[in-house]
Amino acid sequence: MDLVSDSRFATLHATGDHPESQARIVALHERFPFVGCAPAGEDDVLRCHTRELVERVRNTRGWLDADTICTETSFDAALLAAGAAIEAVRRNGFALARPPGHHAEPERPMGFCLFDTIAIAARWAQAVDGVGSVAILDWDVHHGNGTQAIVQGDDSILYVSLHQWPFYPGSGGPDEQGATLVNIPLAAGTGDAAYLQAFERAERAIAAFEPELLLVSAGFDAHADDPLAQLELSTGVFTELARRSSALAPRVAAVLEGGYNLATLPDLVAAALEGFDYAIVADEGA
């Protein structure tokens, strides 16, 4: 699994002391080599979002909601993040990108997210790369309401999410289920054993769907030391999650979502990369 990123993620979309800051990517770039990527095109974004949302992100300078800021370079960062996700699909890789994406709904940015990068990558894979069925597995601690809203009802894309509940953004409860929708809500305080038991349900659903491509919304904010949530996962469990995920489809790619403790984030990504069988590659993108 190649790592995909771009040095511009460390400067674009400057958010100051916001939890989702450039420092997240700086910490990862200091640890890992990566291959480069190009921005997504607006046509790629429009497979998932309205023209009105695209123009809002392009033109807003200030707060889009109580959590989500937009600056003069945020639009460029969001296109680049979507492009990193697409490049990860091309390479069966892992996109180290920001801002995260899984809260962005078709018509609304929210929860630190501007464009839904993993949904954009899924639609690109189907429209351009000849992929038929796609499963999206979301292990970020927050429910990916945006991804669910974009793909719900599409029988070619399965969405499976494990997340703390009740918790932000309030969706993903036990009654939100469908033929291609599996929500697995978990109580605050859930640790490794209970989480891995719940993960078996995700594995069964994905195996039954038999996707050609699995995309992982790889958030690391379910870790015990993350400041924004209350799940209690250890570092090592992310190796196991990645290892099990790698067995669920012939092609697997991942996209960084949450993870806000700068001291632990590089180790958590390294743990996941071990499970994804990461191979060191030449640094083409710095």
Side-chain angles (χ1 to χ4, degrees):
M1 175 170 276
D2 292 344
L3 275 177
V4 177
S5 197
D6 191 290
S7 59
R8 289 171 288 179
F9 285 125
T11 56
L12 295 174
H13 186 52
T15 58
D17 59 0
H18 193 285
E20 202 299 290
S21 72
Q22 306 98 292
R24 299 177 68 228
I25 291 295
V26 170
L28 295 174
H29 284 180
E30 289 175 348
R31 178 78 169 268
F32 304 107
F34 56 87
V35 296
C37 59
E42 290 186 30
D43 288 349
D44 297 316
V45 178
L46 290 170
R47 294 190 187 101
C48 296
H49 296 289
T50 63
R51 172 64 66 182
E52 289 75 17
L53 180 139
V54 171
E55 294 305 319
R56 186 179 177 200
V57 174
R58 190 199 310 272
N59 296 315
T60 298
R61 303 292 180 265
W63 292 95
L64 295 161
D65 65 15
D67 301 307
T68 312
I69 194 168
C70 201
T71 75
E72 64 275 6
T73 61
S74 295
F75 181 73
D76 293 337
L79 288 181
L80 190 60
I86 288 170
E87 186 64 23
V89 171
R90 286 192 180 102
R91 292 177 172 270
N92 297 333
F94 191 132
L96 298 181
R98 61 174 293 270
H102 73 154
H103 293 310
E105 297 182 343
E107 300 178 351
R108 179 171 65 148
M110 63 177 289
F112 309 171
C113 303
L114 303 176
F115 300 148
D116 196 309
T117 51
I118 204 156
I120 291 167
R123 295 288 194 210
W124 178 89
Q126 292 180 315
V128 179
D129 203 32
V131 173
S133 58
V134 180
I136 299 174
L137 172 59
D138 190 334
W139 73 48
D140 189 276
V141 79
H142 304 95
H143 179 244
N145 58 294
T147 307
Q148 177 175 304
I150 290 168
V151 306
Q152 188 169 5
D154 182 344
D155 62 9
S156 71
I157 300 181
L158 172 70
Y159 180 65
V160 181
S161 177
L162 300 96
H163 48 271
Q164 184 176 328
W165 188 88
F167 196 47
Y168 182 90
S171 53
D175 296 331
E176 289 185 47
Q177 311 293 336
T180 54
L181 173 64
V182 180
N183 281 308
I184 306 173
L186 301 164
T190 296
D192 291 357
Y195 195 99
L196 289 174
Q197 184 177 13
F199 195 77
E200 293 175 3
R201 180 180 169 197
E203 291 176 291
R204 290 193 297 270
I206 295 168
F209 187 69
E210 298 182 331
E212 298 172 36
L213 170 67
L214 173 68
L215 299 179
V216 179
S217 271
F220 296 93
D221 38 8
H223 187 260
D225 292 335
D226 195 273
L228 298 191
Q230 293 84 42
L231 294 191
E232 299 290 335
L233 300 190
S234 69
T235 300
V237 81
F238 289 98
T239 301
E240 182 66 7
L241 295 179
R243 185 189 66 79
R244 293 189 186 187
S245 297
S246 295
L248 293 173
R251 295 177 59 186
V252 179
V255 178
L256 179 68
E257 297 282 2
Y260 302 100
N261 183 331
L262 298 181
T264 59
L265 181 59
D267 287 341
L268 297 176
V269 171
L273 291 173
E274 181 181 347
F276 282 130
D277 194 23
Y278 170 58
I280 297 293
V281 293
D283 185 350
E284 301 173 7

